[in-house]
Amino acid sequence: MTRTVPDRSFAQARAVIPRGVAHVRLEEGPVVTRDFAFLVLPRFTLLAFSSAIEPLRIANQLTQQPLYRYRLVSMDGAPVESSSGVRVEVDQGLEPLPRETTAIVCSGTDASDAADKRVLAWLRDHARRGGGLGAVCTGAYTLARAGLLGEDTPAVHWENRPAFRELFDVEPLEQIYVIGRKLFSCAGGEAAVDLMLALIARDHGQKLADAVAEMCLHSRRREASATQKKVYPAPMLARHPAVARVIAAMQANIATPLDRDELAAVFGRSPRHLERIFQQVVQETPKSYYLGLRLQEARNLLSDTTLSILEIALATGFNSRSSFSKAYKKRFGQSPARTR
């Protein structure tokens, strides 16, 4: 039996202001409360969600002021199960939000089809009335499906970037978060902390943002431009920049792989010299490493898109389904169809 939750308007709802020992005094002046609505979709990522909402609670706690007010929304007003199996209660279903509210889409492992048509229509209606939008983790998929990205390119978790690129013909950002012209987004995980700290700094100054970071034990605040995943360790970049250039070229040419001579040209030495140095540094031949990159991207596409196996084969540089399937099974021990 589904439990319904009585709807409470934002005017009636109270901002969460727990008591604490630490305190930050804001400059004198009227306090403007900013409203957020977190739309939690089935199988949403709990880490990214909590990393986004907790800095708001801490900002209220440190100042003992209602700086931020937030509520949770689901498709039907019922509790939602996260990807870890933890169920979260919500405040309302898809009733309209006040125009001043920013709706943040939170999803996770079911990125491409987590939201139904009702959700897309709800988001479009909110945007049409001038409401703000945001996304954490794979929430950008839902905004893209709703046609709401506009000129803003989202940040998407590195594991989901290949699928996002193929589904929406948009190259998502490699950085951890972005605050665009009309919407903001982050790649998920702890990046949501960095995103919310940036919003808090914009709203109330760097002093409060730094204090919130300290309360989170988030000792190293990252700027939006920080990249999500290091393809190679920093020492490799410093000691073997030519190898790093080759790996970057491989990543940029998945659909149309570079041949041995082209990789050697990027490296700046002969193919034989490339083979020897690459083997020493990476403990793998360039050919094997390159194939691994292509097959990992294929694995992501199999999991996150409905592209056919042939389409995925072509998108990752194979000229036939059979050659792709053979290489895939050798690498992962199962066929592409089995993975899907």
Side-chain angles (χ1 to χ4, degrees):
M1 183 176 180
T2 302
R3 185 182 71 83
T4 57
V5 180
D7 182 44
R8 295 176 291 125
S9 70
F10 272 108
Q12 295 171 323
R14 294 175 58 195
V16 177
I17 311 178
R19 290 288 180 181
V21 176
H23 179 72
V24 175
R25 186 174 181 273
L26 293 180
E27 297 295 330
E28 296 294 336
V31 174
V32 177
T33 302
R34 186 173 179 181
D35 293 321
F36 290 98
F38 289 85
L39 171 63
V40 286
L41 296 175
R43 308 292 293 169
F44 72 99
T45 302
L46 197 59
L47 174 59
F49 164 73
S50 61
S51 294
I53 204 168
E54 280 295 292
L56 303 179
R57 186 270 301 174
I58 293 171
N60 290 349
Q61 177 179 317
L62 286 172
T63 61
Q64 289 296 291
Q65 299 280 356
L67 304 183
Y68 298 102
R69 189 165 44 193
Y70 45 83
R71 62 171 40 198
L72 272 59
V73 181
S74 71
M75 290 192 285
D76 54 7
V80 183
E81 185 172 294
S82 68
S83 58
S84 61
V86 176
R87 294 171 68 82
V88 174
E89 300 280 344
V90 302
D91 300 296
Q92 69 170 74
L94 298 177
E95 291 81 24
L97 297 173
R99 180 180 181 274
E100 298 77 17
T101 303
T102 299
I104 302 178
V105 185
C106 307
S107 62
T109 54
D110 297 331
S112 59
D113 57 358
D116 62 18
K117 293 180 179 179
R118 295 173 300 159
V119 172
L120 304 184
W122 181 78
L123 289 168
R124 292 187 191 111
D125 180 66
H126 185 59
R128 193 178 303 116
R129 290 186 287 109
L133 295 170
V136 299
C137 198
T138 59
Y141 276 76
T142 298
L143 295 182
R145 289 180 58 209
L148 295 174
L149 293 183
E151 297 179 2
D152 289 328
T153 303
V156 176
H157 192 280
W158 60 264
E159 186 178 41
N160 304 106
R161 291 181 66 246
F164 194 94
R165 183 190 308 121
E166 293 295 328
L167 287 172
F168 305 113
D169 196 27
V170 172
E171 183 65 45
L173 300 174
E174 294 185 27
Q175 60 198 59
I176 58 172
Y177 73 87
V178 61
I179 300 176
R181 295 177 60 187
K182 293 188 176 180
L183 58 90
F184 56 78
S185 60
C186 77
E190 292 184 356
V193 175
D194 297 286
L195 168 63
M196 302 314 278
L197 290 175
L199 294 177
I200 291 169
R202 188 175 68 176
D203 292 345
H204 301 288
Q206 197 62 54
K207 179 182 176 182
L208 178 58
D210 289 341
V212 172
E214 289 179 355
M215 288 290 288
C216 293
L217 298 181
H218 195 67
S219 58
R220 188 176 65 85
R221 287 187 54 204
R222 298 172 294 176
E223 298 299 324
S225 57
T227 55
Q228 298 175 39
K229 183 184 178 186
K230 295 188 186 309
V231 180
Y232 29 77
M236 179 195 291
L237 184 60
R239 300 174 191 169
H240 306 284
V243 173
R245 286 200 308 272
V246 171
I247 292 175
M250 291 175 175
Q251 287 193 309
N253 294 274
I254 295 293
T256 309
L258 303 176
D259 61 27
R260 185 168 176 260
D261 291 336
E262 288 171 324
L263 290 176
V266 172
F267 183 66
R269 302 290 291 274
S270 69
R272 179 176 294 183
H273 195 75
L274 167 62
E275 294 273 347
R276 182 170 60 83
I277 299 300
F278 201 95
Q279 182 83 47
Q280 289 175 359
V281 175
V282 185
Q283 285 79 56
E284 195 171 1
T285 66
K287 180 179 180 180
S288 175
Y289 187 88
Y290 203 172
L291 179 62
L293 289 178
R294 293 162 54 204
L295 290 173
Q296 185 57 57
E297 177 138 348
R299 190 177 179 87
N300 293 342
L301 294 175
L302 285 166
S303 299
D304 293 343
T305 74
T306 57
L307 294 174
S308 71
I309 292 177
L310 177 58
E311 288 173 322
I312 292 172
L314 296 176
T316 52
F318 294 89
N319 55 21
S320 71
R321 173 172 172 158
S322 60
S323 62
F324 164 62
S325 297
K326 183 178 179 180
Y328 188 93
K329 188 171 184 178
K330 184 176 181 181
R331 172 72 59 156
F332 297 116
Q334 61 181 201
S335 67
R338 171 70 68 175
T339 296
R340 171 156 283 175

